[in-house]
Amino acid sequence: KTHPARIMPREDAPIEEQAEAFFAKFTEPARPSEHLKYLELPAWDARHSFVTDAAFDLGDRAIDACDALGLSSAMRTLRPAQLTELHLHRCSLCADGLAAVVAALPALPALESLFAMQNGAGDGAMSAFAGLARTGGVPLRRLALQENGITDCGAASLAAALAGATPQLEWLYLSGNEIGDEGGVAIAEAVEGGACPRLARLALQHNRLGDATLLALGRAAAGGKLPKGEYLYVHENEHTPAGRDALAAALEGHPNQLQAHLGWPPPLPRDELRRDEAAATAASLAGAPPKRKPYAPPPPRVAPPHPDGDVPPWRVRPATTTTKAVSFVEPPRPPPASADPLPSDEPSSKGELPGDFFERLLAM
């Protein structure tokens, strides 16, 4: 969180004052967590992190144009030589704010990664990369500009500056924008013309690309302009099966096994490709054809037959245990007591003797 009470200086203020105001605004004291009751978050000194850490992370903080101007002033003033990553994702950076940061990138001699996705900066910030080409370029290796509302105009401006601005670029992520064939072909032609010879991953998925972009990428790959290429992400676009087949055919036999992500199934991981290549090399040296075990999906799980017939697996009842039946014989019950407590002198109808029979016998 930022401190809204602290106001950034005017744009015409000295750059040292702008930098100090920027650090003062984004420095955070120790504070309790909003989500965990007994957790205390440590303090974060923005200036100390900027001059000592390898990664400076301002992600998920609201940065307006004046804040971005303060960040660019800090970049020009302090010139941290250890900074290799700059994270500005989901900062609501406008076109002018991102352009100010891009214009100050030559002040960071070791910067390799710029993550500025999901800002909505638009096409205006893309023209700032042309200024980098005039200053000799920057050593960027990873540039992430996903979901910034970039259209064909912005993609064309970026493509025109790629050769001189980022000659060491390896990853270029432009997914989730509004780039059509005009911008996609401009990027492919820039690569075909020699821009970004180290480019390994180009992400253009979730745009509006058609077959023309796929054909241009295929020509660049077939012409040997992507010698370090690993993946071309072009799925979720407006191309047709004919364009996808043409790109897949152009990538066959690529020296670095460049793969295109055209949808399901996704491309194979690089480790698996290296294992297959090593196995093929060993088999060729041994004089035997390479053996590659084809992928076989696991067999489906089939429930055992149920004694009740065709019952779905999720309704199979558990097996019941059988118990041996035990017969129970009721013991004889005693005769009921007589209702008359007094003995009777008369013999019963069943021939039973009276109760005082033996006393009378002894008295005789």
Side-chain angles (χ1 to χ4, degrees), residues 19-358:
E20 293 303 326
F22 168 80
F23 290 134
K25 180 177 180 179
F26 289 94
T27 295
E28 298 177 349
R31 61 210 180 277
S33 173
E34 297 180 356
H35 307 286
L36 298 178
K37 184 176 181 181
Y38 300 105
L39 177 64
E40 182 178 1
L41 301 178
W44 185 68
D45 190 339
R47 181 187 177 92
H48 183 268
S49 175
F50 189 71
V51 298
T52 59
D53 296 340
F56 187 65
D57 190 355
L58 289 176
D60 296 303
R61 294 174 173 86
I63 300 178
D64 55 20
C66 194
D67 299 332
L69 187 62
L71 175 58
S72 65
S73 300
M75 295 163 64
R76 291 188 174 94
T77 303
L78 299 177
R79 296 178 175 271
Q82 88 295 336
L83 191 62
T84 60
E85 296 182 7
L86 182 58
H87 296 261
L88 299 174
H89 52 276
R90 294 186 294 271
C91 292
S92 302
L93 270 175
C94 61
D96 294 338
L98 184 56
V101 174
V102 171
L105 289 181
L108 304 178
L111 189 67
E112 297 180 353
S113 304
L114 174 61
F115 300 100
M117 67 284 285
Q118 299 179 357
N119 280 298
D123 297 334
M126 300 301 103
S127 58
F129 286 92
L132 299 180
R134 292 189 294 268
T135 60
V138 291
L140 272 181
R141 296 173 53 193
R142 291 174 289 271
L143 178 60
L145 298 170
Q146 304 98 303
E147 300 181 29
N148 270 291
I150 302 172
T151 64
D152 290 335
C153 181
S157 300
L158 179 62
L162 282 179
T166 56
Q168 302 180 26
L169 194 64
E170 297 178 2
W171 294 4
L172 177 59
Y173 288 173
L174 295 170
S175 61
N177 287 290
E178 299 295 330
I179 303 175
D181 273 337
E182 182 179 352
V185 170
I187 294 175
E189 290 179 350
V191 173
E192 188 178 6
C196 308
R198 300 182 181 181
L199 190 64
R201 301 185 181 187
L202 176 61
L204 295 170
Q205 68 269 28
H206 295 280
N207 278 282
R208 297 185 295 103
L209 305 178
D211 293 346
T213 302
L214 300 190
L215 295 176
L217 291 174
R219 289 194 301 268
K225 301 303 181 180
L226 287 170
K228 304 292 185 180
E230 296 178 355
Y231 298 106
L232 295 176
Y233 301 97
V234 291
H235 55 286
E236 300 296 333
N237 276 284
E238 300 177 1
H239 40 63
T240 64
R244 294 191 288 269
D245 294 341
L247 178 58
L251 298 184
E252 291 183 1
H254 190 272
N256 199 41
Q257 297 181 332
L258 174 62
Q259 300 179 89
H261 193 341
L262 301 169
W264 189 261
L268 296 176
R270 298 294 298 179
D271 294 340
E272 185 173 347
L273 286 176
R274 293 188 185 98
R275 288 196 300 267
D276 294 343
E277 184 179 5
T281 303
S284 62
L285 293 177
K291 296 181 179 180
R292 180 181 179 183
K293 184 178 180 181
Y295 171 76
R301 299 179 62 182
V302 180
H306 195 265
D308 292 345
D310 189 8
V311 180
W314 56 87
R315 298 189 62 183
V316 173
R317 294 175 295 180
T320 57
T321 59
T322 58
T323 57
K324 183 178 180 181
V326 179
S327 60
F328 178 76
V329 179
E330 185 178 1
R333 298 180 180 180
S338 175
D340 187 4
L342 299 176
S344 175
D345 295 338
E346 299 296 333
S348 64
S349 60
K350 296 183 180 181
E352 297 178 355
L353 297 176
D356 57 345
F357 173 78
F358 293 98

